[in-house]
Amino acid sequence: MTAAPTSWRVTAPAGSGLYKGTGDVAKPFTTRSKIGSGWNAYNHLVSTGDVNGDGRTDLLARDTAGALWLYKGTGKASAPYQKKTKIGNAGWNQYAQIF
């Protein structure tokens, strides 16, 4: 069994939406859940799984200056990520995709 996919969509100024995967091919995602605001500071968001090896899904974000940020997953639905940590300086804008 594979995990259901999750999709992010940045919608300024209202904030970002989380579309949880359902595992159903006929209706693959749930309706949008607002997960905060301020995400429009980033031009790329990606969650490829556990980046730091703690068993929780993390989020990578690239800001418009090209810096790379890590949001470590908490495993809690009410507060899914810890405070951001800068893991890469400017220059990440040269890449079309980060995964």
Side-chain angles (χ1 to χ4, degrees):
M1 177 181 230
T2 59
T6 300
S7 177
W8 287 79
R9 179 175 175 221
V10 177
T11 55
S16 288
L18 174 67
Y19 297 86
K20 295 180 184 178
T22 64
D24 180 354
V25 283
K27 187 179 176 189
F29 298 103
T30 63
T31 57
R32 178 182 181 265
S33 299
K34 186 175 178 183
I35 56 168
S37 60
W39 293 103
N40 56 350
Y42 303 108
N43 59 17
H44 194 75
L45 297 168
V46 64
S47 179
T48 58
D50 183 10
V51 175
N52 64 349
D54 66 358
R56 297 182 180 112
T57 302
D58 304 313
L59 176 69
L60 292 174
R62 182 182 63 200
D63 67 24
T64 56
L68 195 62
W69 300 88
L70 171 64
Y71 287 85
K72 295 176 185 176
T74 64
K76 300 175 187 174
S78 60
Y81 299 107
Q82 296 177 23
K83 194 173 183 175
K84 67 182 178 181
T85 303
K86 191 175 193 178
I87 60 170
N89 292 318
W92 287 91
N93 278 333
Q94 67 182 318
Y95 302 105
Q97 296 293 320
I98 300 169
F99 55 93

